């Protein structure tokens, strides 16, 4: 990977970029952000919370990041947790301690928005209680009703943000009296809500919570900042910014497979609101696509493989959640979904990850359309679970390849069938595959300046 700072050809000013997942999460965003970090000055999370699990492998060291941007593993970068993120203060402290224990510098290089909303323990209780209630009603996780959340309190924390009167922001943790006043108003109502959900929890004592979270706030004080001014000061000074999406486009609250989504705008559309940086400042969007599909939790998944092929992908791809350890549902690549995400996110280029996992199959399938229950076919994605009932995939079948890809360092090293597979993606989706990842390590990645489609 070349070590350049990307500049706009026209004005010479830095081009800010975004990394976003084009499927249902776990596409390898952490790995790609870590790789691209050398080219940018600031790395910014703008959405989600500790529901994200971004894995970065540096040599033998493997890091799982949940709230802190993946840029933290490179020195000399400013890592920003934007106002659109929901922060679990104790989780972020654990993450800071864990990184420091492994020799990673975490100091002034980590800035957390004073306006990011706080995930409190009662949010996690609410999340779990609602999921359990709905699971009991429907019989199993992910069946109609329960979402199959990570139980990290994400939905309830964003609900409080939208409700306003019961919300806490990171800046509130720095003022004990204010925090206590707010918790006094919140706790009674929250107990009633938890009881209505059938949760058995200890009474919420405002003073206890205020003491506990003001203490967390004190430890986080050196990191808490007005990140909107910070970012604009950096941009004015000519520094470049890389936005790190968490979750993924098909989990976006507005544009994903509703209601089986998360509670934030995790497509690139969340960047302006979640960071305070206008969308028009973003010059390049990298859409991260794994070479097949996975999802965790409930919801539509047209190309899901419930057979030995799905199990083989799960084993080869080690498809178990970074955050919850749950086995991920696996299936063939769904280009109807990917093309939709490219459109919504305005992706300019694809980074294709986990291509190595597909070695050893005689043939590979790619979904190019959905057949509805009445037999008609559509090439449009429908971001609504109710309206995707009964959809089955229309596949193109491509020849597979046998060779392992982990040592490929260049597009020409790839078997011709792998190049054709990527060429098919480019032609169908309409944007180039610029990065190819063939293993979890930084070094197992290469750039391609020529289109794969030209080689088909
Ligand atoms: P994220 O949430 O999008 O950052 O993705 P996760 O870290 O949750 O999941 C991706 C997993 O795939 C991690 O275990 C990565 O180490 C691993 N990974 C990333 N790229 C590749 C690749 O090209 N090949 C293989 N085999 N593993 C990869
Ligand atoms: P990264 O950033 C995969 C899924 C959950 C669940 C739904 C809602 O690692 O790609 P939530 O806890 O957010 O209310 O759960 O969204 N989900 C993810 N799945 N990767 C993620 O993040 C996810 N973040 C949320 O499994 O189905
Ligand atoms: Mg993940």
């Amino acid at each position: 990977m070349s070590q350049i700072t990307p500049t706009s050809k026209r004005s010479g000013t830095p081009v800010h970029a975004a990394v976003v997942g084009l499927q249902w999460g776990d596409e390898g965003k952490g790995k790609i952000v870590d790789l691209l970090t050398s080219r940018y000055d600031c790395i910014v999370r703008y959405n989600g919370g500790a529901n994200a699990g971004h894995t970065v492998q540096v040599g033998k060291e493997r890091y799982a990041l949940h709230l802190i941007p993946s840029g933290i593993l490179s020195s000399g970068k400013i890592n920003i947790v934007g106002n659109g993120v929901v922060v679990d203060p104790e989780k972020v402290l654990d993450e800071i301690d864990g990184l420091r224990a492994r020799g990673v510098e975490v100091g002034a290089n980590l800035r957390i928005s004073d306006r990011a909303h706080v995930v409190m323990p009662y949010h996690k209780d609410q999340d779990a209680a609602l999921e359990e209630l709905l699971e009991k009603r429907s019989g199993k996780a992910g069946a109609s009703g329960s979402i199959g959340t990570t139980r990290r309190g994400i939905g309830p924390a964003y609900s409080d943000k939208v409700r306003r009167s019961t919300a806490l922001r990171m800046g509130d943790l720095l003022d004990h009296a204010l925090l206590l006043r707010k918790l006094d108003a919140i706790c009674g109502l929250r107990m009633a809500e938890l009881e209505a959900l059938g949760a058995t929890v200890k009474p919420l004592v405002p003073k206890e919570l205020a003491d506990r979270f003001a203490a967390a706030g004190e430890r986080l004080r050196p990191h808490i900042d007005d990140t909107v001014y910070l970012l604009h000061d950096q941009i004015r000074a000519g520094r470049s910014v890389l936005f790190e999406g968490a979750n993924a486009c098909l989990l976006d609250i507005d544009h994903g497979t509703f209601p089986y989504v998360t509670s934030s705008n995790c497509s690139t559309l969340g960047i302006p609101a979640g960071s305070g940086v206008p969308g028009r400042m973003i010059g390049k969007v990298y859409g991260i696509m794994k070479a097949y599909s996975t999802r965790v939790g409930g919801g539509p998944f047209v190309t899901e493989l419930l057979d030995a092929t799905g199990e083989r992908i799960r084993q080869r791809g080690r498809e178990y959640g970074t955050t919850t350890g749950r086995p991920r549902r696996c299936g063939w690549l769904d280009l109807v979904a990917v093309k939709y995400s490219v459109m919504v996110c305005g992706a300019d280029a694809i980074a294709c990850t986990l291509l190595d996992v597909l070695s050893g199959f005689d043939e590979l399938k790619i979904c190019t359309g959905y057949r509805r229950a009445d037999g008609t076919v559509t090439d449009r994605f429908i971001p609504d679970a109710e309206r995707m009932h009964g959809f089955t995939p229309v596949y193109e079948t491509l020849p597979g390849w046998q060779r392992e890809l982990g040592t490929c360092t260049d597009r020409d090293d790839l078997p011709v069938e792998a190049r054709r597979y990527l060429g098919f993606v480019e032609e169908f989706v309409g944007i180039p595959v610029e990065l190819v990842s063939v293993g979890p390590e930084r070094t197992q990645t290469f750039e391609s300046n020529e289109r794969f489609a030209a080689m088909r």
Side-chain angles (χ1 to χ4, degrees), residues 376-391:
T376 56
V377 171
T378 180
D379 61 359
R380 291 198 167 197
F381 191 75
I382 298 162
D384 185 325
E386 288 299 334
R387 293 176 56 212
M388 287 182 82
H389 271 313
F391 279 23

Side-chain angles (χ1 to χ4, degrees), residues 129-130 133 137 189-201:
L130 183 59
L133 185 74
R137 277 196 197 156
L189 176 64
R190 194 48 41 101
M191 277 307 290
E193 288 171 343
L194 281 163
E195 275 160 20
L197 287 170
T200 43
V201 287

Side-chain angles (χ1 to χ4, degrees), residues 181-416:
R181 215 166 49 242
K182 290 197 172 189
L183 282 165
D184 264 332
I186 293 168
C187 284
L189 176 64
R190 194 48 41 101
M191 277 307 290
E193 288 171 343
L194 281 163
E195 275 160 20
L197 287 170
T200 43
V201 287
K202 282 197 311 195
L204 297 173
V205 182
K207 169 87 170 55
E208 272 176 20
L209 281 173
D211 290 352
R212 178 172 154 192
F213 283 88
E218 275 319 307
R219 282 200 58 203
L220 289 171
R221 187 182 285 276
H223 305 285
I224 296 177
D225 209 344
D226 181 332
T227 54
V228 175
Y229 271 108
L230 170 69
L231 259 171
H232 282 276
D233 287 345
Q234 290 290 318
I235 290 170
R236 263 196 302 276
R239 311 251 159 70
S240 58
V241 180
L242 180 64
F243 294 93
E244 174 175 358
N247 327 127
C249 186
L250 302 176
L251 293 171
D252 184 288
I253 181 75
D254 285 290
H255 302 287
T257 45
F258 193 85
Y260 298 96
V261 292
T262 187
S263 303
S264 67
N265 285 117
C266 27
S267 64
T268 46
L269 302 174
I271 295 176
S275 68
V277 175
R280 67 180 161 77
M281 287 189 170
I282 299 158
K284 174 128 188 174
V285 175
Y286 292 91
I288 317 304
M289 179 198 84
K290 64 170 78 174
Y292 48 93
S293 310
T294 61
R295 95 172 279 177
V296 200
F301 186 175
V302 176
T303 63
E304 182 168 18
L305 292 165
L306 297 166
D307 56 7
T309 306
E311 187 53 33
R312 181 159 163 199
I313 293 176
R314 185 174 304 111
Q315 294 312 327
R316 279 189 60 86
R318 295 205 200 112
E319 293 293 357
Y320 295 88
T322 312
T323 299
T324 58
R326 291 179 287 178
R328 296 175 182 147
R329 301 159 65 192
C330 297
W332 294 122
L333 180 61
D334 181 347
L335 285 187
V336 177
V338 168
K339 191 171 182 175
Y340 164 81
S341 294
V342 164
M343 174 179 80
V344 169
C345 291
D348 301 291
I350 287 180
C352 178
T353 56
L354 293 116
L355 188 63
D356 53 302
V357 174
L358 294 185
S359 291
F361 287 96
D362 291 335
E363 45 186 42
L364 301 165
K365 292 187 195 293
I366 295 185
C367 175
T368 55
Y370 296 156
R371 184 166 284 110
R372 301 186 186 93
D374 66 5
T376 56
V377 171
T378 180
D379 61 359
R380 291 198 167 197
F381 191 75
I382 298 162
D384 185 325
E386 288 299 334
R387 293 176 56 212
M388 287 182 82
H389 271 313
F391 279 23
T392 53
V394 176
Y395 283 127
E396 289 275 339
T397 303
L398 273 70
W401 60 88
Q402 299 306 314
R403 199 153 39 90
E404 292 295 343
L405 306 184
T407 54
C408 290
T409 53
D410 185 87
R411 54 179 295 132
D412 296 330
D413 283 351
L414 291 175
V416 64

Side-chain angles (χ1 to χ4, degrees), residues 25-26 29 52-54 322 328:
D26 306 324
K29 297 176 291 292
H54 295 179
T322 312
R328 296 175 182 147

Side-chain angles (χ1 to χ4, degrees), residues 42-77:
C42 306
I43 320 301
V44 183
R45 274 279 306 268
Y46 58 90
N47 79 292
N51 52 354
H54 295 179
T55 316
V56 179
Q57 195 161 324
V58 189
K60 289 208 169 69
E61 293 291 315
R62 202 173 155 89
Y63 299 89
L65 297 154
H66 299 282
L67 280 157
I68 297 180
S70 302
I72 200 77
L73 302 173
S74 304
S75 58
K77 308 294 170 181

Side-chain angles (χ1 to χ4, degrees), residues 147-167:
I147 305 289
T149 73
T150 59
R151 303 191 178 197
R152 296 294 187 271
I154 305 300
Y158 278 114
S159 301
D160 271 353
K161 172 176 177 173
V162 177
R163 186 154 69 172
R164 297 154 295 166
S165 47
T166 49

